[in-house]
Amino acid sequence: MAVFITGGAGFIGSHTCVEMLEAGYEIVVADNYSNSSAESLERVKKITGKDFPYYECDIRDKEGLARIFDAHKIDAVIHFAGLKAVGESVAKPLEYYDNNIGGTIALLEVMREKNVKTIVFSSSATVYGSENPVPFKEDMKTGGTTNPYGTTKYMIEIILQDLCKADPEWSVSLLRYFNPIGAHESGLIGEAPNGIPNNLMPYIAQVAVGKREKLSVFGNDYNTPDGTGVRDYIHVVDLAKGHVKAVARAVSVKGCEVFNLGTGHGVSVLELVNAFKEANGIEIPYVIAPRRPGDIDNSYADVTKAWEILGWKTEKTIVDACRDTWRWQSGNPDGYGN
Ligand code: NAD
Ligand code: WQD
């Protein structure tokens, strides 16, 4: 059985490739490298000692996708490919709707044509919007997203749910990730953002390595214990293992299921800064800055469903994630570019 992984060269995709190979699956990867490079896939091979085919292919290219499906016996798809920068999506909505939604529809059309009807999709906690109380639970109302990126995730969830209603042969797993951080413990693969990082952990890592002077903490007057924003930071290796469980479930159960993938614990910005110091002995200089538009006070998961149905829960701590991030960042200060 081979699993086709779109966006497999990216941050979460590359870690999932490792866990899928280590669980004994065959994989086939496609990526257009718009936010990654094939070097991450070479490193996946190095970590696992296993070979697998990968293709430079845009998921909007249906002929390219069809050729890959014809060349391999694909049974299921894990779909990571997409653009993910919140701020950029506000400035470039058409690019985001075209890439994320257009790309997903092209992929689904090719899957239907090739009679592959099992898909695990990278959704996001952002679909819970700003009105729900924490912890977020899968059956809460979704929508009310505040940026085109988040809206693409919400819309793709609806598209996949509609597909399952129309054709009971489909198996869809919607995985709502909370805040993935960390890196593989080998230090060979990790997060390699282009330009100034948007997200907290890569920003901290770049301050630690001397690329940025200090962290701006976006607001200390939130309704949280220390006033800084609270999030559910999940180690990317735990997250990757969640995909192995989700694929196994999706191939055996038809219909659409939704799972939160988080730790179930909220951690503030300042707690993450302190965890980085505890893990690595490095102080992160910071200033308190104004709130970032669109940010919410609290976001963390209720993880009961993933535990009960997938038999999955996180094993690593934020201190583990800070140590692994630093091993990756200090060994690869320019990401895959060195
Ligand atoms: P990433 O940018 O590292 O990975 C996405 C990959 O998809 C990249 O390798 C990129 O080159 C590729 N890609 C983009 N558009 C493509 C296209 N049209 N055709 C082929 N490949 C394409 O991001 P990531 O953090 O690994 O995220 C993976 C998925 O998880 C994304 O769908 C993202 O929206 C979702 N997600 C991420 C987070 C997060 O905080 N990292 C949280 C929730 C959901
Ligand atoms: C975390 C906390 C910031 C940077 C985003 C997307 C979401 C999902 C994950 C894909 C917040 C604070 C941050 C900085 C800071 N992505 N912060 N200084 O906003 O929870 O989620 O990534 O689906 O859709 O919105 O993550 O890492 O940007 O921020 O103080 O330089 O860190 O205000 O409280 P966020 P983040």
Side-chain angles (χ1 to χ4, degrees), residues 34-35 80-97 99-100 124 126 146-153 191 193-199 292:
S34 58
N35 196 37
F80 293 105
L83 300 174
K84 64 161 182 176
V86 170
E88 184 184 62
S89 79
V90 176
K92 298 181 174 174
L94 292 183
E95 282 80 352
Y96 272 68
Y97 289 115
N99 194 81
N100 293 5
S124 168
T126 193
T146 54
N147 58 78
Y149 165 73
T151 305
T152 67
K153 293 293 170 192
E191 189 168 13
N194 288 324
I196 303 172
N198 300 303
N199 298 116
R292 185 174 61 178

Side-chain angles (χ1 to χ4, degrees), residues 27-294:
I27 62 168
V28 177
V29 173
D31 202 298
N32 68 357
Y33 307 127
S34 58
N35 196 37
S36 58
S37 82
E39 176 59 21
S40 64
L41 296 169
E42 289 301 316
R43 297 200 185 176
V44 168
K45 291 185 180 180
K46 198 167 167 186
I47 291 167
T48 60
K50 295 186 178 177
D51 199 9
F52 59 90
Y54 61 81
Y55 297 88
E56 179 166 359
C57 179
D58 192 298
I59 55 164
R60 291 164 294 183
D61 171 8
K62 286 175 68 177
E63 285 173 11
L65 286 178
R67 279 195 294 276
I68 298 172
F69 277 78
D70 288 341
H72 302 278
K73 163 100 194 63
I74 289 168
D75 300 286
V77 175
I78 307 179
H79 176 31
F80 293 105
L83 300 174
K84 64 161 182 176
V86 170
E88 184 184 62
S89 79
V90 176
K92 298 181 174 174
L94 292 183
E95 282 80 352
Y96 272 68
Y97 289 115
D98 174 44
N99 194 81
N100 293 5
I101 296 186
T104 300
I105 290 175
L107 171 68
L108 293 171
E109 285 174 347
V110 174
M111 288 176 68
R112 182 177 59 183
E113 190 185 307
K114 303 297 175 189
N115 204 29
V116 177
K117 294 186 173 178
T118 301
I119 183 167
V120 172
F121 172 63
S122 303
S123 189
S124 168
T126 193
V127 302
Y128 288 109
S130 56
E131 301 300 322
N132 286 306
V134 282
F136 297 149
K137 228 173 147 32
E138 288 86 346
D139 57 6
M140 284 177 171
K141 190 174 182 303
T142 53
T145 46
T146 54
N147 58 78
Y149 165 73
T151 305
T152 67
K153 293 293 170 192
Y154 173 67
M155 290 170 75
I156 294 167
E157 284 202 359
I158 306 265
I159 291 167
L160 288 165
Q161 283 160 356
D162 285 345
L163 192 55
C164 288
K165 283 181 206 152
D167 179 354
E169 287 299 305
W170 280 86
S171 292
V172 172
S173 187
L174 304 177
L175 302 183
R176 294 181 182 154
Y177 311 157
F178 281 69
N179 289 58
I181 59 169
H184 192 263
E185 64 174 12
S186 63
L188 288 174
I189 56 173
E191 189 168 13
N194 288 324
I196 303 172
N198 300 303
N199 298 116
L200 179 59
M201 187 58 138
Y203 204 101
I204 289 176
Q206 291 199 5
V207 172
V209 82
K211 280 187 151 186
R212 317 264 160 214
E213 193 192 333
K214 55 182 180 303
L215 172 71
S216 294
V217 174
F218 298 145
N220 66 350
D221 57 352
Y222 282 108
N223 183 22
T224 61
D226 68 16
T228 66
V230 163
R231 298 290 182 271
D232 186 337
Y233 296 98
I234 173 174
H235 196 296
V236 65
V237 171
D238 279 333
L239 182 64
K241 289 180 176 164
H243 290 73
V244 178
K245 297 284 192 184
V247 168
R249 169 86 182 168
V251 294
S252 62
V253 177
K254 296 210 186 303
C256 185
E257 289 188 312
V258 187
F259 297 102
N260 284 340
L261 296 186
T263 68
H265 302 291
V267 169
S268 76
V269 175
L270 295 181
E271 283 172 334
L272 194 63
V273 167
N274 288 335
F276 197 89
K277 183 170 179 213
E278 184 187 333
N280 304 310
I282 300 172
E283 194 93 47
I284 302 297
Y286 66 84
V287 289
I288 304 297
R291 289 181 176 203
R292 185 174 61 178

